[in-house]
Amino acid sequence: YDVSEPGWKRTGVPKARVAATPKPVRTSAEPSPIDLDWQDGYSGQTVEELLSFEKYGRIDLLAAAFTSAIQEQAERRGRLSEAERVVLAVGRLDSTMVTDGFDNFFRYSPQFAPTIVGSLLLIGCKRIANTTQRALDALCLTNVTTRQVKAAMRIPDERREKKLEQCSSSYWKTSGPARNLLAFIKANKDNIRF
């Protein structure tokens, strides 16, 4: 986001970005601490290569790199495993919540609304799942479908906005799902391909 754009507001703490460094020539299978170009996003590593960076980098950036890799794969293949869908949904929620809130998550990623609470529970994020369920409840939907979420978000509603802001504030008080998401990725790495 460009902070000079009208209407831009910062409602969360953005993730730090690390400047890209040229990839050194590897002399062994062990990644070098300076070989962290994945921190600028996914750049072609395998699942095992990304997992090997855990000891060198930030968990939130590593989870984001997995999300980017799975998103690229979805665009190429179209089909995802259940584990990949969980990583993509939780990763999208977390990246949206960093700078925005539930309003933007439902507005720009409504396809994840039907499964996000179950995905959070699956990775062991009960508190965040409860907060997300409260945010979904604020939409007053009979069924949570992509179409209904889109329709609800098109209708201006100050009460809903206030409830979503409260839920977003609750989310930001948590440590986020990155640690649990990475544990889920490690436990399900055989079902994640890119």
Side-chain angles (χ1 to χ4, degrees), residues 91-133:
R92 183 66 61 87
L93 174 68
D94 193 40
S95 66
T96 301
M97 295 301 292
V98 168
T99 56
D100 298 310
F102 282 109
D103 178 84
N104 275 12
F105 177 69
F106 295 139
R107 195 171 302 280
Y108 300 111
S109 300
Q111 70 273 25
F112 298 112
T115 61
I116 189 60
V117 172
S119 295
L120 289 163
L121 290 171
L122 195 57
I123 69 166
C125 289
K126 186 176 180 179
R127 182 176 173 197
I128 295 173
N130 289 337
T131 300
T132 304
Q133 184 62 59

Side-chain angles (χ1 to χ4, degrees), residues 163-177:
K163 288 179 185 177
L164 291 178
E165 286 176 18
Q166 290 169 343
C167 292
S168 296
S169 292
S170 293
Y171 181 96
W172 295 324
K173 291 175 185 171
T174 71
S175 59

Side-chain angles (χ1 to χ4, degrees), residues 10-146:
R10 183 166 158 184
T11 56
V13 178
K15 293 178 185 171
R17 300 293 293 173
V18 177
T21 56
K23 198 171 191 177
V25 176
R26 288 191 191 171
T27 56
S28 72
E30 180 69 20
S32 160
I34 61 170
D35 186 17
L36 299 177
D37 61 336
W38 59 267
Q39 289 187 349
D40 282 327
Y42 176 68
S43 58
Q45 298 87 349
T46 66
V47 170
E48 289 298 330
E49 286 173 326
L50 278 180
L51 286 173
S52 72
F53 291 126
E54 180 181 9
K55 61 187 167 193
Y56 297 114
R58 290 181 29 196
I59 301 297
D60 58 336
L61 295 178
L62 188 53
F66 271 95
T67 302
S68 295
I70 292 169
Q71 179 63 48
E72 285 181 24
Q73 172 189 306
E75 291 167 5
R76 283 191 318 269
R77 271 193 349 202
R79 290 187 348 240
L80 296 176
S81 70
E82 179 66 24
E84 291 165 335
R85 287 191 297 273
V86 167
V87 173
L88 192 55
V90 174
R92 183 66 61 87
L93 174 68
D94 193 40
S95 66
T96 301
M97 295 301 292
V98 168
T99 56
D100 298 310
F102 282 109
D103 178 84
N104 275 12
F105 177 69
F106 295 139
R107 195 171 302 280
Y108 300 111
S109 300
Q111 70 273 25
F112 298 112
T115 61
I116 189 60
V117 172
S119 295
L120 289 163
L121 290 171
L122 195 57
I123 69 166
C125 289
K126 186 176 180 179
R127 182 176 173 197
I128 295 173
N130 289 337
T131 300
T132 304
Q133 184 62 59
R134 285 195 322 273
L136 277 169
D137 293 345
L139 302 182
C140 300
L141 303 174
T142 55
N143 292 313
V144 179
T145 65
T146 301

